[in-house]
Amino acid sequence: MNTPDRPVLWVARMVLEAASPLSIGTGRGIGTYDTAVVADANGLPAIPATTLKGVLRALCRSSFEPDSLKDVFGYAEGEDGAPARLSMSWGWCHDGDDEPVLGRLAPDRGDDSRFSPSGDLIDPVLRFLLAATREATVVRDRVRIGSRGTVDGTGKFDRTVVPRGVRFSIELQLNGRQSTLDDDRQIWDTILGILASGDLSVGGSTRGGLGKLVPVSDSTGLRFFERCFVLDDEGFAAYREFRRASARDGNIDLLDRISPVPAATVGRRLSLPLEAIDTWRIGGGSVALGSDEVDAVPLRESYLDWGPDGRAARVVEAADARCVVIPATSIKGALRHRTAFHHRRFRAGHVFGEAGGSTDDPTDAAIGDLFGSVKARRVPDRSEKEDRGPETGQIGSIVIDDAVLDLTGSAHQRIAHVSIDRFTGGARQGLLFDEEVLVGGRLDLHIRLLPRFEELQEDLRKAFFAALDDLQTGRLALGGASGRGHGRFRKIEAGGGAQ
């Protein structure tokens, strides 16, 4: 008698945390801000399943054969196509008790501790997240970049973001058959390993440090749970009970905790521990570290802190944050221009672009391959482009993470300045301003080199590492007012001392 080839359903639930702010936009603005972030029916931040699945598919390309990738993720090619075997849920955000918020918030339920007896929402984390999506309480200011990697005129915009520290629960399902159980097990383990690797970045401006998701651990290990349901009568009854319990209150008791082997990093990772030589200021903050009002201050942002046990969230407002944020964009911009300097030096022996004023500088195209580029804009009612850039944009070959500097034990200083008349070079009558700078401190810089980095021309890769060498030897300054001596760093050696 033949054994029936029954359907099999692989189910996994996992918890991921935003290691940097998320900016998954809706395509619309919010009030006076340019972008609004995606929210669920409750107004809480959420991650669309299409966003997660698209990023996961891209990460799986290096591990799957083309036919296998189509089989798992589905495809549509003209009139030919097939549905996906892998399905994903939206990312549900967690409340202050580290539980996912499933379905509509119901103040009329008497057993819901997130509401007061009068029906008011009292969970501090959910109140914080509702304000972030509805009122844009955390915003990153940006300037528009042209096709040459410089500021495009007076263009400026902002990105509303979901604060770092927010946690999300995500569910995956993979359909299979008993006859392909071993092959599906290998596919399943590969997918879970990629999600456990910490290489997942979703949403907008991921090359600018936003959108990094990392797996959450507790004292037992990674919070990854799975079960393989063979859908015979007993297996279907177990799956139905799991679905009923998880839909009601997020219960995952019917799943088994697992420890997936994190997939190898796609590309290479570089870690540069740097120490500030003197004063520095990166980012445009709004709250001074000291008690006085200051015109220019380091950037601090609100975030969620899950405490030493990792299960009790605390809302940390920007004014109370004992850390400053160094946006990846501020590091990327400096490295981009210094890399261009070295590339011209290695390639042509001079650093001022092509002789004769040519606009077709090979360095511009090479830098676009490394750091990414935007499509050249057309000016209305003109036949020529505003600047001679590439016909299409492209993403870069490196990913730089936001850095967070702990202020414990660090010093800050207020410096007063006189405003200078740009025409005469003299002081402008009665116009003063001040800035708040940090003195010393450690900055850990993390860069991921994607696989296509190795395919770039040798001179370009050599120029990039020369720019990194300038950064860690104090020859390349970061942040604001570098012309006034701020922003020089040096590498910290393995023994703890600076080079």
Side-chain angles (χ1 to χ4, degrees):
M1 180 177 179
N2 293 330
T3 302
D5 186 16
R6 300 187 185 278
V8 173
L9 188 61
W10 303 80
V11 179
R13 184 78 66 85
M14 64 210 63
V15 181
L16 303 177
E17 181 177 317
S20 62
L22 300 180
S23 182
I24 305 175
T26 63
R28 302 187 303 271
I30 173 173
T32 59
Y33 297 104
D34 297 318
T35 59
V37 295
V38 171
D40 62 13
N42 298 305
L44 296 169
I47 304 177
T50 50
T51 299
L52 290 167
K53 195 171 181 181
V55 173
L56 183 59
R57 179 183 182 123
L59 292 174
C60 285
R61 284 199 184 104
S62 61
S63 302
F64 286 38
E65 294 295 330
D67 290 342
S68 179
L69 192 70
K70 290 181 179 180
D71 175 55
V72 174
F73 289 91
Y75 71 99
E77 297 175 352
E79 297 182 357
D80 188 21
R85 291 172 53 202
L86 179 71
S87 60
M88 301 184 70
S89 72
W90 277 47
W92 308 298
C93 76
H94 284 212
D95 60 19
D97 294 326
D98 204 14
E99 295 294 336
V101 180
L102 304 177
R104 290 282 290 171
L105 291 172
D108 54 344
R109 282 178 52 184
D111 60 344
D112 195 337
S113 62
R114 295 173 295 205
F115 291 90
S116 67
S118 61
D120 297 324
L121 183 64
I122 58 175
D123 187 297
V125 170
L126 296 186
R127 290 168 60 92
F128 173 63
L129 296 179
L130 283 171
T133 56
R134 294 175 177 175
E135 303 171 15
T137 54
V138 184
V139 177
R140 289 281 180 96
D141 287 323
R142 303 287 297 275
V143 294
R144 189 174 65 217
I145 301 298
S147 60
R148 293 184 179 276
T150 57
V151 176
D152 187 6
T154 58
K156 182 180 180 298
F157 66 100
D158 46 54
R159 296 198 75 100
T160 303
V161 298
V162 177
R164 64 183 173 92
V166 180
R167 289 182 174 177
F168 298 91
S169 280
I170 298 168
E171 184 177 301
L172 284 77
Q173 292 188 3
L174 180 67
N175 298 311
R177 310 290 301 187
Q178 279 186 298
S179 60
T180 60
L181 199 63
D182 292 339
D183 291 339
D184 288 345
R185 173 84 259 181
Q186 185 176 358
I187 291 172
W188 188 242
D189 288 344
T190 300
I191 292 173
L192 295 182
I194 290 173
L195 291 170
S197 67
D199 287 339
L200 198 66
S201 295
V202 301
S205 196
T206 55
R207 293 301 192 275
L210 300 184
K212 185 175 183 179
L213 295 177
V214 297
V216 175
S217 303
D218 55 22
S219 58
T220 310
L222 289 176
R223 291 171 64 182
F224 276 57
F225 307 86
E226 72 157 17
R227 183 168 177 180
C228 177
F229 295 93
V230 178
L231 298 182
D232 52 17
D233 291 342
E234 181 181 353
F236 186 78
Y239 175 72
R240 184 172 55 187
E241 177 59 28
F242 159 72
R243 185 53 60 205
R244 182 183 299 116
S246 64
R248 182 175 60 250
D249 54 12
N251 190 295
I252 53 174
D253 292 341
L254 292 177
L255 302 183
D256 302 317
R257 184 187 283 264
I258 59 172
S259 299
V261 178
T265 296
V266 179
R268 286 192 286 159
R269 287 189 182 277
L270 303 179
S271 295
L272 298 179
L274 303 174
E275 179 186 61
I277 297 175
D278 198 353
T279 56
W280 60 288
R281 174 175 59 82
I282 297 178
S286 58
V287 183
L289 295 169
S291 57
D292 298 328
E293 292 187 5
V294 184
D295 296 312
V297 298
L299 176 62
R300 290 189 290 168
E301 291 179 336
S302 305
Y303 66 97
L304 290 181
D305 178 17
W306 290 94
D309 61 350
R311 299 304 293 265
R314 179 174 66 95
V315 176
V316 180
E317 299 291 349
D320 302 321
R322 295 302 304 162
C323 57
V324 296
V325 178
I326 296 92
T329 50
S330 63
I331 302 169
K332 185 177 178 181
L335 287 176
R336 179 183 184 118
H337 293 289
R338 185 55 62 92
T339 301
F341 168 89
H342 285 300
H343 184 259
R344 292 189 177 99
R345 181 169 65 87
F346 294 148
R347 184 180 57 83
H350 56 82
V351 299
F352 300 108
E354 289 297 299
S358 172
T359 58
D360 298 322
D361 187 352
T363 291
D364 290 338
I367 293 298
D369 292 336
L370 177 59
F371 290 94
S373 61
V374 297
K375 182 179 179 180
R377 293 191 305 120
R378 287 188 180 276
V379 181
D381 301 326
R382 295 187 190 176
S383 59
E384 296 185 358
K385 292 182 175 59
E386 185 177 59
D387 54 35
R388 297 180 184 274
E391 293 293 331
T392 59
Q394 62 177 339
I395 58 175
S397 303
I398 65 171
V399 178
I400 302 176
D401 294 339
D402 276 1
V404 178
L405 173 71
D406 189 350
L407 290 174
T408 303
S410 298
H412 57 87
Q413 177 182 355
R414 179 180 176 182
I415 302 177
H417 298 282
V418 176
S419 181
I420 300 298
D421 188 311
R422 295 188 179 185
F423 180 70
T424 65
R428 299 175 66 187
Q429 184 67 31
L431 293 180
L432 303 176
F433 69 97
D434 50 17
E435 63 175 340
E436 191 173 54
V437 297
L438 298 171
V439 182
R442 172 173 175 148
L443 170 63
D444 290 303
L445 179 60
H446 299 283
I447 302 174
R448 183 155 57 96
L449 308 179
L450 301 181
R452 61 176 173 272
F453 176 85
E454 310 300 338
E455 302 172 4
L456 300 176
Q457 53 185 271
E458 183 180 355
D459 281 350
L460 182 59
R461 289 184 280 119
K462 181 180 176 183
F464 174 69
F465 287 116
L468 290 180
D469 186 63
D470 286 349
L471 177 60
Q472 61 190 358
T473 53
R475 295 193 297 267
L476 173 61
L478 296 178
S482 59
R484 296 198 292 267
H486 296 335
R488 294 190 302 127
F489 293 82
R490 56 191 170 190
K491 182 180 179 181
I492 299 176
E493 295 302 320
Q499 177 178 317

